[in-house]
């Protein structure tokens, strides 16, 4: 429909559109030539019978079908567009164009020849730009059977020849030099040998790059399964041209071929290699330790946050043993990050408390978000059952807040000096209350749904896509705990790690299904910093007159009227450019701060100074680190709660179960099944007396079949 392209769909406009079309063809039948246009008149005259010519018969039939199809629009029974008032006009227009692009590319993805597939994708997209209903139906059908190929075709479409040419024409000229492909070797004692690929965005020559001492390490998004740095050319070229600092964007390996934690270890290895080589691995030869800012959008925000947590854990474990440490990033810039894999429906009391009682600075920064969430929490519903207790001050709490603490003991009621009511007044009041019982009353709810459920019909990110991304990223052989695995879900990171976080900037849309991840993580980070500040103040490490500055640790920007991925399609969403420039300003502000203050608490600054000395000593001796056994972190179930690694904390990052005995039983059973297959004998469930009922072969096979059904459907294979 035309109104979709204009960015403001309206049932009234559609009604007028249908009436105009019917009126035009009705007038044509009355006033036009009865035998139709000139090329058809001879044929119509030859087939003419009595009252209706063949041309009139065809026009009447098509008009009737058109009226029957749009009958709901004519009589005003059509439901309104659900996203018309959810997004602003420019963002709605952009999402509609992306929907048409997805429908067009998915329609042509089965064509084998690439040149033909690229041409047909553009042709189908033009058709779907006009046929709005067909495009929505096509996208719904595909998302119902989403596979990794569908996601890669959709998210990698900007690098196709015709779209890349079009976006290149619309992109301003930011740099003299284009992106350069770069290969980064792994650290000396890494458990992996494959180098990491990336793209360097820098507005200068290679000789000028050698003198740089600052670097931006960008981790692109793409749901962990798609998108290389070239899909973010608009953002990265703008940053490189405006900041004048080299930007290294990683082309990490994607799931499901490389599931968790391979990509996370790649990011950590690259950061570690940059520090220990003093930037020589990326062409910087100044000899000084570079300062690095981590950036990431969507899934890249998850990896950037997880990399920071790995660095902090690395420093904590090495500080206890007296080994060399690596400095934390100078700061983080996260764009609509995915920080929680636990896709839930209802918000917990702690989460609602972060929304209802944020800091003073946060109230001003995202007042619109708090207002909408509060309306969702305090929404009133009409019911026929009276609930006078719901409206009482006691039920609301001491501050009139439905989520504030209730008094534990009843306080004595103050005496009133008003005279007692007469019997006649009491009878009138009783009649009034009785009449109120038969009227609909107002109910308040203490339940609030998460943003994933609130915006489940989002055009960019849907629950089906999030489900597919999580399953593909985790892989079929791991059973993580989304409540404790903070390297997989940074939103559940312990406070001991959050207190050592560098300055972090968040940028997301208020209507993003992942907006709760940003708000909750920023709230936990703010509270951890505040608590640490108060503890240091009690110990005399901070001035007694000092006040906690929220902006020194966390800054959150929520943009009203937009959702996910708005910096990825700035060519069709021009408003996205100002947000790209805002991020560039944040990066400049981080680098403009003195190095001894960027870590936040002074204890972290001391950690950086000690790590500098250790790195200078290690670099002078020509070794990687002081210990020859430095490897990757290992993710244990207990590490998610304690915040510290135990035992071999530098082992390769791997998922483990929470029950060691169950792990042994599964390993024993797996080896037994292998031996049984080799001898062509089936295992017997009664072969052992201590078999746990929860791990019987029948149930294990059922879970296996269920997982295979999920993974096969996502991979696009036949089960």
């Amino acid at each position: 429909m035309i109104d979709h392209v204009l960015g403001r769909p309206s049932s009234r406009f559609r009604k007028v559109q249908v009436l105009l079309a019917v009126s035009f063809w009705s007038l044509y039948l009355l006033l036009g030539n009865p035998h139709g246009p000139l090329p058809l008149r001879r044929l119509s005259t030859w087939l003419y019978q009595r009252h209706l010519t063949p041309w009139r018969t065809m026009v009447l039939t098509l008009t009737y079908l058109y009226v029957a199809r749009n009958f709901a629009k004519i009589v005003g029974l059509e439901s309104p567009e659900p996203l018309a008032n959810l997004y602003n006009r420019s963002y709605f227009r952009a999402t509609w164009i992306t929907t048409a692009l997805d429908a067009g590319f998915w329609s042509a993805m089965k064509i084998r020849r690439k040149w033909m597939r690229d041409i047909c994708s553009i042709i189908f997209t033009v058709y779907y730009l006009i046929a709005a209903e067909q495009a929505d139906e096509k996208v719904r059908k595909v998302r119902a059977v989403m596979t990794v190929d569908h996601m890669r075709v959709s998210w990698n479409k900007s690098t196709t020849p015709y779209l890349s040419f079009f976006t290149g024409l619309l992109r301003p000229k930011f740099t003299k030099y284009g992106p350069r492909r770069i290969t980064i070797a792994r650290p000396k004692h890494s458990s992996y040998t494959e180098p990491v690929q990336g793209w360097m965005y820098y507005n200068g020559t290679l000789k000028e790059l050698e003198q740089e001492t600052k670097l931006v390490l960008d981790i692109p998004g793409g749901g962990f399964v798609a998108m290389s740095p070239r899909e973010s050319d608009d953002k990265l070229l703008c940053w490189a041209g405006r900041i004048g600092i080299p930007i290294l964007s990683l082309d990490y390996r994607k799931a499901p071929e490389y599931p968790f934690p391979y990509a996370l270890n790649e990011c950590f290895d690259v950061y570690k290699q940059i520090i220990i080589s003093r930037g020589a691995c990326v062409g910087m030869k100044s000899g000084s330790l570079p300062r690095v800012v981590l950036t990431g959008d969507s899934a890249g925000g998850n990896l950037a946050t997880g990399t920071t947590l790995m660095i902090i854990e690395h420093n904590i474990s090495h500080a206890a043993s007296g080994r060399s440490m690596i400095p934390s990033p100078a700061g983080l810039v996260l764009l609509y990050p995915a920080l929680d894999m636990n896709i839930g429906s209802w918000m917990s009391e702690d989460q609602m408390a972060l929304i209802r009682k944020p800091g003073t600075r946060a109230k001003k920064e995202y007042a619109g978000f708090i207002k909408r969430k509060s309306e969702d929490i305090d929404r009133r519903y009409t019911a026929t059952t009276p609930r006078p207790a719901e409206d009482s001050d006691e039920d609301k709490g001491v501050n009139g807040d439905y989520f504030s603490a209730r008094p534990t003991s009843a306080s004595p009621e103050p005496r009133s000096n008003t005279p007692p009511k007469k019997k006649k007044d009491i009878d009138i009041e009783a009649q009034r209350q009785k009449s109120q019982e038969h009227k609909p009353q107002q109910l308040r709810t203490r339940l609030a749904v998460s943003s994933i459920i609130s915006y489940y019909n989002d055009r960019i990110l849907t629950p089906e896509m999030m489900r597919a991304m999580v399953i593909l990223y985790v892989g079929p052989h791991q059973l993580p705990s989304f409540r404790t695995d903070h390297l997989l879900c940074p939103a559940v990171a312990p406070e001991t790690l959050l207190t050592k976080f560098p300055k972090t900037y968040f940028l997301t849309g208020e209507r993003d299904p992942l907006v709760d991840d940003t708000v909750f993580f920023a709230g936990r980070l703010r509270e951890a910093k505040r608590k640490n500040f108060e503890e240091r103040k009690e110990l005399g490490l901070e001035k007694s007159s000092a006040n906690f500055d929220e902006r020194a640790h966390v800054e959150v920007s929520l943009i009203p009227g937009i959702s996910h991925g708005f910096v990825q399609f700035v060519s069709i969403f021009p408003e996205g450019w100002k947000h790209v420039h805002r991020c560039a300003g944040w990066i400049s502000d981080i680098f403009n701060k003195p190095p001894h203050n960027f870590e936040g608490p002074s204890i972290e600054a001391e950690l950086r100074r000690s790590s500098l000395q250790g790195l200078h000593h290690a670099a002078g001796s020509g070794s990687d680190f002081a210990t020859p056994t430095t490897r990757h972190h290992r993710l244990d179930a207990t590490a998610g709660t304690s915040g510290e690694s135990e035992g071999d904390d530098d082992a390769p990052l791997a998922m483990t179960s929470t029950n060691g005995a169950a792990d042994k039983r599964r390993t024993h059973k797996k080896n037994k099944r292998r031996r049984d297959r080799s001898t062509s004998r089936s295992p017997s469930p009664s072969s052992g007396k201590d078999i746990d009922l929860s791990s019987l072969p029948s149930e294990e096979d059922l879970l296996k079949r269920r997982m295979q059904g999920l993974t096969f459907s996502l991979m696009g294979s036949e089960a």
Side-chain angles (χ1 to χ4, degrees):
M1 288 293 183
I2 301 176
D3 52 343
H4 283 75
V5 181
L6 296 178
R8 184 60 67 187
S10 171
S11 56
R12 181 180 299 179
F13 179 80
R14 295 179 185 177
K15 178 180 179 180
V16 173
Q17 182 178 343
V18 173
L19 291 176
L20 288 176
V22 175
S23 302
F24 172 78
W25 288 110
S26 299
L27 290 175
Y28 183 84
L29 289 175
L30 294 175
L31 304 178
N33 192 292
H35 293 285
L38 185 62
L40 300 178
R41 290 176 184 175
R42 180 173 298 181
L43 179 62
S44 178
T45 304
W46 182 65
L47 297 175
Y48 173 71
Q49 293 180 358
R50 294 190 180 184
H51 302 290
L52 295 178
T53 63
W55 168 252
R56 286 182 171 179
T57 303
M58 182 184 68
V59 172
L60 281 174
T61 303
L62 294 177
T63 305
Y64 170 77
L65 293 176
Y66 181 77
V67 171
R69 183 177 182 181
N70 298 277
F71 179 76
K73 299 182 179 67
I74 297 175
V75 299
L77 297 178
E78 185 188 27
S79 60
E81 174 64 40
L83 302 179
N85 299 322
L86 186 66
Y87 303 145
N88 59 39
R89 176 171 294 187
S90 58
Y91 188 79
F92 183 91
R93 184 188 303 112
T95 56
W96 171 241
I97 296 176
T98 57
T99 301
L101 286 168
D102 289 341
F105 276 74
W106 283 338
S107 299
M109 66 179 296
K110 294 184 179 180
I111 301 177
R112 293 186 177 181
R113 296 185 180 274
K114 186 179 182 304
W115 64 271
M116 180 63 71
R117 183 169 63 249
D118 294 337
I119 295 176
C120 291
S121 298
I122 301 299
I123 296 175
F124 294 157
T125 297
V126 174
Y127 165 74
Y128 283 122
L129 280 173
I130 302 173
E133 297 179 357
Q134 286 76 8
D136 280 333
E137 185 65 23
K138 176 66 177 179
V139 171
R140 281 196 297 267
K141 288 181 179 179
V142 172
R143 287 178 176 174
V145 291
M146 180 69 69
T147 65
V148 64
D149 293 331
H150 287 113
M151 288 187 284
R152 288 175 176 173
V153 168
S154 173
W155 293 336
N156 295 338
K157 59 180 175 289
S158 60
T159 56
T160 56
Y162 302 104
L163 282 186
S164 61
F165 175 77
F166 175 75
T167 55
L169 292 177
L170 298 178
R171 183 190 308 128
K173 186 69 173 179
F174 292 110
T175 61
K176 299 179 181 179
Y177 306 93
R180 306 177 177 96
R181 192 167 185 85
I182 187 173
T183 301
I184 303 97
R186 299 276 188 162
K188 186 175 181 181
H189 299 289
S190 174
S191 301
Y192 303 94
T193 57
E194 302 87 352
V196 184
Q197 304 296 324
W199 289 85
M200 178 66 73
Y201 294 78
Y202 181 59
N203 191 23
T205 62
L206 295 179
K207 290 186 177 180
E208 294 173 343
L209 177 62
E210 295 177 355
Q211 306 302 321
E212 292 289 343
T213 59
K214 303 174 183 178
L215 178 70
V216 177
L217 181 59
D218 177 73
I219 306 176
F224 306 101
V225 299
M227 295 182 67
S228 67
R230 299 309 306 270
E231 272 77 19
S232 304
D233 276 354
D234 294 330
K235 175 189 70 175
L236 298 176
L237 288 172
C238 176
W239 288 358
R242 179 175 176 180
I243 304 173
I245 295 174
I247 299 172
L248 174 63
S249 186
L250 298 183
D251 191 5
Y252 55 90
R253 290 173 172 83
K254 309 297 189 298
E257 293 83 3
Y258 297 90
F260 176 83
Y262 195 92
L264 185 59
N265 281 329
E266 277 190 309
C267 300
F268 177 75
D269 277 348
V270 170
Y271 183 89
K272 181 179 175 182
Q273 182 70 357
I274 292 172
I275 296 300
I276 63 178
S277 67
R278 301 188 181 185
C281 62
V282 295
M284 302 165 61
K285 299 181 180 179
S286 63
S288 60
L289 197 68
R291 295 182 63 194
V292 182
V293 170
L294 281 179
T295 64
D297 59 282
S298 191
N302 179 291
L303 295 174
T305 310
T307 302
T308 305
L309 292 172
M310 290 182 68
I311 295 170
I312 296 174
E313 286 185 330
H314 176 276
N315 291 336
I316 292 176
S317 61
H318 281 217
S321 59
R323 291 179 289 176
S324 301
M325 296 172 287
I326 57 178
S328 297
L332 271 75
V333 176
L334 305 179
L335 287 70
Y336 38 85
L339 302 175
D340 193 358
M341 300 291 185
N342 189 18
I343 302 177
S345 301
W346 300 104
M347 294 168 54
S348 64
E349 294 182 1
D350 296 337
Q351 293 172 340
M352 288 187 288
L354 291 173
I355 293 177
R356 299 301 299 271
K357 297 179 181 179
T360 56
R361 180 71 64 175
K363 287 182 179 179
K364 299 179 181 179
E365 289 178 346
Y366 44 98
F369 174 82
I370 297 174
K371 179 181 178 181
R372 269 180 283 276
K373 276 292 183 181
S374 300
E375 291 174 354
D376 186 26
I377 294 172
D378 295 335
R379 187 172 296 155
R380 299 184 177 187
Y381 299 92
T382 302
T384 58
T385 304
R387 295 174 62 91
E390 291 289 341
D391 297 328
S392 62
D393 294 337
E394 180 183 357
D395 195 45
K396 290 183 180 179
V398 294
N399 297 324
D401 190 351
Y402 285 91
F403 302 100
S404 60
R406 270 62 178 176
T408 56
S409 61
S411 59
E413 297 183 358
R415 295 183 179 180
S416 177
N417 296 326
T418 59
K421 295 182 179 180
K422 298 181 180 180
K423 184 177 180 180
K424 183 178 180 181
D425 297 337
I426 296 176
D427 294 340
I428 295 175
E429 186 69 22
Q431 292 178 3
R432 185 179 301 171
Q433 292 180 0
K434 187 175 181 179
S435 63
Q436 290 291 335
E437 293 179 358
H438 301 283
K439 294 182 180 180
Q441 301 293 324
Q442 299 292 337
L443 291 179
R444 290 186 179 92
T445 176
R446 294 190 182 92
L447 298 176
V449 295
S450 62
S451 58
I452 295 177
I453 303 301
S454 299
Y455 311 123
Y456 72 95
N457 57 349
D458 185 72
R459 277 214 177 107
I460 304 298
L461 193 61
T462 61
E464 297 90 347
M465 301 173 71
M466 286 185 279
R467 176 189 70 94
M469 288 183 292
V470 172
I471 292 176
L472 292 171
Y473 180 54
V474 173
H477 305 296
Q478 303 183 78
L479 185 60
S481 174
F482 295 140
R483 298 182 182 275
T484 58
D485 296 337
H486 56 271
L487 295 183
L488 183 63
C489 302
V492 300
E495 289 188 1
T496 55
L497 302 181
L498 296 181
T499 55
K500 302 180 182 301
F501 243 67
K503 175 68 177 292
T504 307
Y505 293 87
F506 296 91
L507 178 66
T508 186
E510 285 189 2
R511 308 302 174 88
D512 193 333
L514 302 179
V515 64
D516 283 356
D517 294 8
T518 296
V519 175
F520 297 154
F521 185 77
R524 292 195 65 230
L525 189 59
R526 184 185 299 108
E527 292 302 319
K529 295 288 187 179
R530 186 194 305 274
K531 184 178 179 181
N532 182 73
F533 176 80
E534 296 297 335
E535 292 177 354
R536 292 175 53 80
K537 195 173 181 180
E538 293 178 359
L539 295 175
L541 301 177
E542 298 286 349
K543 295 182 179 179
S544 59
S545 59
N547 295 322
F548 179 73
D549 185 10
E550 298 175 1
R551 295 182 66 90
H553 307 285
V554 182
E555 287 193 33
V556 181
S557 295
L558 301 182
I559 309 168
I562 67 174
S563 177
H564 196 77
F566 49 88
V567 301
Q568 296 298 132
F569 44 82
V570 290
S571 55
I572 57 178
F573 182 59
E575 292 183 10
W577 282 115
K578 66 179 181 181
H579 305 303
V580 175
H581 288 289
R582 179 190 296 185
C583 295
W586 288 344
I587 297 173
S588 299
D589 292 342
I590 294 174
F591 283 127
N592 291 335
K593 292 181 180 179
H596 61 277
N597 287 333
F598 77 92
E599 296 275 4
S602 58
I603 187 173
E604 191 71 14
E606 296 173 2
L607 179 65
R608 177 177 174 83
R609 285 196 293 270
S610 61
S611 64
L612 289 178
Q613 297 174 0
L615 286 173
H616 280 288
H617 176 71
S621 60
S623 61
D624 187 359
F625 274 105
T627 174
T629 59
T630 300
R631 292 174 293 174
H632 294 77
H633 276 34
R634 180 179 181 180
L635 182 59
D636 296 326
T638 57
T641 56
S642 64
E644 298 183 3
S645 303
E646 298 179 1
D648 189 11
D649 54 301
D650 287 334
L653 184 59
M655 300 297 296
T656 59
S657 175
T658 57
N659 192 344
D663 288 342
K664 294 180 180 179
R665 285 197 298 269
R666 280 196 291 267
T667 304
H668 176 72
K669 289 172 62 177
K670 185 182 295 184
N671 296 332
K672 187 177 184 302
R673 286 197 301 271
R674 291 177 180 175
R675 292 194 300 268
D676 292 336
R677 283 196 298 267
S678 62
T679 56
S680 301
R681 290 186 290 107
S682 60
S684 176
S686 60
S687 58
K689 297 182 180 180
D690 298 330
I691 296 180
D692 189 359
L693 293 178
S694 63
S695 59
L696 287 176
S698 59
E699 185 173 351
E700 184 176 343
D701 293 341
L702 177 61
L703 294 175
K704 182 178 180 180
R705 289 195 300 271
R706 190 174 299 169
M707 180 57 69
Q708 286 179 348
L710 289 173
T711 54
F712 283 161
S713 63
L714 293 174
M715 292 295 293
S717 305
E718 295 182 358

